[in-house]
Amino acid sequence: METEYDFSQGKRGAIDPTLPDKTRIAIWLDDEVLAWFREQVHLADGGNYQTLINEALRQHIQQSSEPLEQTLRRVVREELQRIEK
């Protein structure tokens, strides 16, 4: 170990660069929720559980904002497919 270090070329800020259209946050998730997403990534032989959480949230937003008629049509189609199997 050196007795003195030169930090004159050092830069402040995050070590990881910020990705475009992404915001780093701290979030508290239930252990079971996080375990489920990690298990899904494991079963898929890899990936990123954070990306999977992001996709799930996007899907929820998209479905929550679809018009009622569109939601009903989607549900009826899904139920008919389930019955036909």
Side-chain angles (χ1 to χ4, degrees):
M1 225 168 115
E2 295 184 30
T3 56
E4 195 170 311
Y5 292 91
D6 178 21
F7 292 104
S8 62
Q9 301 299 314
K11 296 180 182 176
R12 289 185 173 264
I15 295 171
D16 295 332
T18 303
L19 299 172
D21 299 327
K22 299 281 183 180
T23 301
R24 179 179 294 209
I25 63 166
I27 184 172
W28 291 90
L29 299 174
D30 293 342
D31 291 339
E32 309 87 53
V33 171
L34 190 55
W36 186 87
F37 279 100
R38 286 181 171 159
E39 179 67 17
Q40 297 310 302
V41 168
H42 176 72
L43 292 173
D45 292 327
N48 183 320
Y49 72 92
Q50 293 173 336
T51 300
L52 195 59
I53 292 170
N54 199 39
E55 289 173 7
L57 290 170
R58 249 184 222 287
Q59 186 177 24
H60 174 74
I61 290 167
Q62 182 182 17
Q63 288 180 356
S64 295
S65 64
E66 71 182 356
L68 179 59
E69 181 181 355
Q70 197 173 359
T71 303
L72 289 172
R73 289 175 185 268
R74 181 176 49 80
V75 170
V76 168
R77 270 190 239 108
E78 289 171 2
E79 290 301 311
L80 287 173
Q81 286 176 353
R82 190 175 62 87
I83 292 170
E84 291 173 354
K85 289 182 180 181

